[in-house]
Amino acid sequence: MQHFPHIELSNRLKIPILGLGTSHHGGYSHDAVVYALQQCGIRHVDTAKRYGCEEALGKSIAESQVPRDDLWITTKLWPGDYGYQSAKEACRASRERLGVEYLDLYLMHWPDCAVPGRSNRDVRAETWRALEELYDEGLCRSVGVSNFLIPHLEELKEDGSVMPHVNQVEFHPFQQPWQLVEFCRSEGVAFEGYCPLAKGQALDHPLIVELAQKYRCSASQICIRWSIQNQIITIPKSTKPDRILENCQVFGFQLEDTDMAAMSALHDGRHVFGFTLAEEDMESIGRLHVDKKLIHLSYPLWNG
């Protein structure tokens, strides 16, 4: 069974550079997760309270019989639980659902907070203080954020005492926020990318198809290899065991510099991430564009 390379965080912990993402609305398969852990060498699994599968993941981990110390488990704090005390309670609840005594990485899921009468910055700072204490107590071995932009990170640097260990953001050939990546790296914040296949939109791009033929691999492997070769922590999602195995087989080849450059030229700024929220979630997530209850998250909308 193969062992994946790691990225060292600012606190010297090592996170596997390749993990398995999960999601809501059919984005979780018990059998697929057990297969990934037992047969593919996956040791890094990403989830969130919002996805509704923490308890299911806990059962999959238990069935896999992979020792807890060998695993890297990430989950996320939903904005509806932001605030000092509520964040601590939410962390405890996530740990209980997952059946673990500690989390390897706990992330604030979004920068927008939408607490009436309070600024986003104040709520982020208060919430971050709770995460810092959870980190100091060892209940979270590392703490971080997701979907934060440079201004949000600059504010946390001023308001907190620990910089996030990780920032998890959409990253794929069509969405390459290199200014954010470089800022994170300059501040010791590891960059983690989700949606590495652009929700399948990258798989039929002519260049990627051509490279797949050249390297005798799949289009998904080209995308994942490109992200990993850029030293981006990468968490492709799949509920199909054969696809998970395929996604893990990206360490036996290397893209040539000219092909890396060609892939980097595919950036067109598009975002592919979107999800459906209930009415109460709309209120808690804040200033987002609503179109028939489908929320498409767009970076310029995040402010304050």
Side-chain angles (χ1 to χ4, degrees), residues 65-193:
Q65 297 187 331
V66 174
R68 174 66 183 95
D69 290 348
D70 292 346
L71 293 171
W72 184 282
I73 300 173
T74 298
T75 193
K76 308 177 192 74
L77 175 70
W78 187 245
D81 294 319
Y82 285 4
Y84 178 78
Q85 192 59 40
S86 55
K88 288 197 166 186
E89 292 172 358
C91 178
R92 180 172 62 251
S94 284
R95 288 188 288 114
E96 289 175 355
R97 286 190 292 269
L98 287 161
V100 297
E101 295 183 358
Y102 65 89
L103 300 171
D104 296 283
L105 177 59
Y106 197 40
L107 305 176
M108 291 178 63
H109 208 148
W110 293 101
D112 279 290
C113 312
V115 176
R118 299 190 62 190
S119 71
N120 278 334
R121 178 172 183 170
D122 285 347
V123 177
R124 283 195 295 265
E126 177 185 320
T127 304
W128 187 247
R129 181 164 59 90
L131 265 64
E132 288 181 330
E133 292 184 9
L134 290 166
Y135 173 61
D136 289 340
E137 295 164 9
L139 299 177
C140 303
R141 296 177 70 224
S142 51
V143 289
V145 295
S146 184
N147 304 301
F148 274 46
L149 303 182
I150 292 174
H152 305 131
L153 294 169
E154 289 176 330
E155 289 176 355
L156 273 191
K157 184 177 181 179
E158 294 178 6
D159 298 336
S161 58
V162 175
M163 277 297 281
H165 298 114
V166 173
N167 186 17
Q168 185 186 111
V169 177
E170 182 179 344
F171 186 91
H172 49 76
F174 308 132
Q175 177 53 233
Q176 304 177 38
W178 286 113
Q179 185 178 5
L180 176 60
V181 173
E182 294 306 322
F183 177 84
C184 286
R185 289 173 174 170
S186 70
E187 295 291 340
V189 179
F191 192 92
E192 182 171 14

Side-chain angles (χ1 to χ4, degrees), residues 194-208:
Y194 63 78
C195 290
L197 311 181
K199 285 195 175 287
Q201 293 181 27
L203 302 184
D204 58 1
H205 188 280
L207 172 65
I208 295 172

Side-chain angles (χ1 to χ4, degrees), residues 229-293:
Q229 220 164 299
N230 276 308
Q231 292 298 294
I232 303 293
I233 303 164
T234 306
I235 48 171
K237 298 177 183 178
S238 181
T239 59
K240 299 178 180 179
D242 58 334
R243 292 289 180 84
I244 293 173
L245 179 60
E246 178 182 290
N247 292 343
C248 292
Q249 295 174 329
V250 294
F251 299 102
F253 71 99
Q254 183 166 324
L255 298 177
E256 297 173 4
D257 290 346
T258 54
D259 295 329
M260 288 291 292
M263 289 280 288
S264 295
L266 295 181
H267 173 79
D268 59 18
R270 84 180 76 165
H271 291 279
V272 301
F273 184 68
F275 56 84
T276 303
L277 292 179
E279 294 285 353
E280 62 270 20
D281 289 332
M282 289 183 193
E283 295 178 1
S284 71
I285 196 67
R287 297 173 301 280
L288 299 176
H289 174 65
V290 179
D291 180 11
K292 295 181 180 178
K293 298 184 182 179

